[in-house]
């Protein structure tokens, strides 16, 4: 079974113009970012690729933790995307996910180690990471801690 996702776009001119995109609940302005010589209006392909990879990763990790019955107090994520510019050619080089996973109080070291293993496995299990494979290096650098017991 295939799932179809559709996006419509509108653009108002040349390279330094801006436009809009709509896809489901996503509705935003777009342009080239200021650091790359554009107007910096709305979002851009670089942020959207990072957003796709990051949301896919965190949702995949959450599902894997749930399936493994690992109780989570909180799960947050910071991700960095690195774009190289050589000879005026822009290349998306890498994405690094840094999840902070706080496990519910009372879980032992074995559960923490399993959660860390899942945090690495989620990176290669995400469909966006698989789509980028061979083009963009994607890695995970998780921090896993167990919450303190309440007295």
């Amino acid at each position: 079974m295939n799932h179809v996702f559709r996006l419509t776009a509108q653009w108002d001119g040349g390279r330094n113009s801006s436009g809009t995109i709509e896809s489901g609940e996503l509705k935003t302005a777009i342009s080239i970012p200021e650091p790359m010589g554009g107007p910096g209006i709305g979002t851009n392909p670089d942020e959207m690729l990072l957003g796709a990879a990051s949301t896919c990763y965190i949702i995949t990790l959450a599902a894997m933790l749930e399936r493994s019955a690992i109780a989570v107090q909180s799960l947050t994520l910071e991700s960095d995307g690195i774009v190289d510019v050589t000879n005026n050619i822009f290349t998306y080089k890498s994405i690094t996910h840094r999840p902070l996973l706080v496990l519910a109080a009372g879980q032992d070291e074995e559960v923490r180690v399993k959660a860390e293993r899942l945090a690495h496995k989620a990176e290669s299990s995400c469909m966006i990471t698989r789509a980028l494979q061979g083009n963009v290096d994607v890695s995970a650098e998780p921090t896993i801690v167990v919450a303190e017991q309440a007295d």
Side-chain angles (χ1 to χ4, degrees), residues 4-9 20-28 48:
V4 176
F5 296 93
R6 182 161 288 118
L7 181 138
T8 59
T20 58
I21 58 169
E22 288 190 31
S23 180
E25 295 298 313
L26 174 65
K27 296 174 179 139
T28 190
M48 291 183 8

Side-chain angles (χ1 to χ4, degrees), residues 11-19 30-40 88 90:
W11 191 257
D12 293 327
R15 179 193 183 281
N16 286 322
S17 295
S18 63
I30 57 170
S31 75
I32 295 172
E34 281 186 51
M36 294 178 171
N88 214 25
F90 296 82

Side-chain angles (χ1 to χ4, degrees), residues 109-129:
E109 180 63 12
E110 183 178 317
V111 173
R112 194 200 67 73
V113 168
K114 183 175 184 179
E116 184 169 0
R117 190 177 82 249
L118 291 175
H120 287 286
K121 185 176 180 183
E123 174 262 313
S124 62
S125 299
C126 161
M127 75 171 183
I128 300 298
T129 300

Side-chain angles (χ1 to χ4, degrees), residues 2 27 40 71 86 96 103 105 114 120 124 129 133 137-138 144:
N2 293 325
K27 296 174 179 139
T86 302
T96 304
L103 302 177
K114 183 175 184 179
H120 287 286
S124 62
T129 300
Q133 195 170 31
D137 293 326
V138 182
I144 316 291

Side-chain angles (χ1 to χ4, degrees), residues 32-107:
I32 295 172
E34 281 186 51
M36 294 178 171
I41 298 169
T43 191
N44 57 71
D46 309 284
E47 290 173 344
M48 291 183 8
L49 181 62
L50 181 60
S54 298
T55 54
C56 185
Y57 174 81
I58 200 167
I59 291 168
T60 300
L61 177 55
M64 294 172 89
L65 292 164
E66 182 179 278
R67 279 193 303 274
S68 296
I70 295 176
V72 175
Q73 180 174 305
S74 69
L75 174 57
T76 57
L77 178 65
E78 290 185 8
S79 297
D80 291 325
I82 305 297
V83 175
D84 176 62
V85 183
T86 302
N87 297 325
N88 214 25
I89 297 172
F90 296 82
T91 304
Y92 220 113
K93 298 297 280 187
S94 66
I95 294 173
T96 304
H97 300 301
R98 292 181 185 87
L100 172 58
L101 175 56
V102 180
L103 302 177
Q107 297 191 65

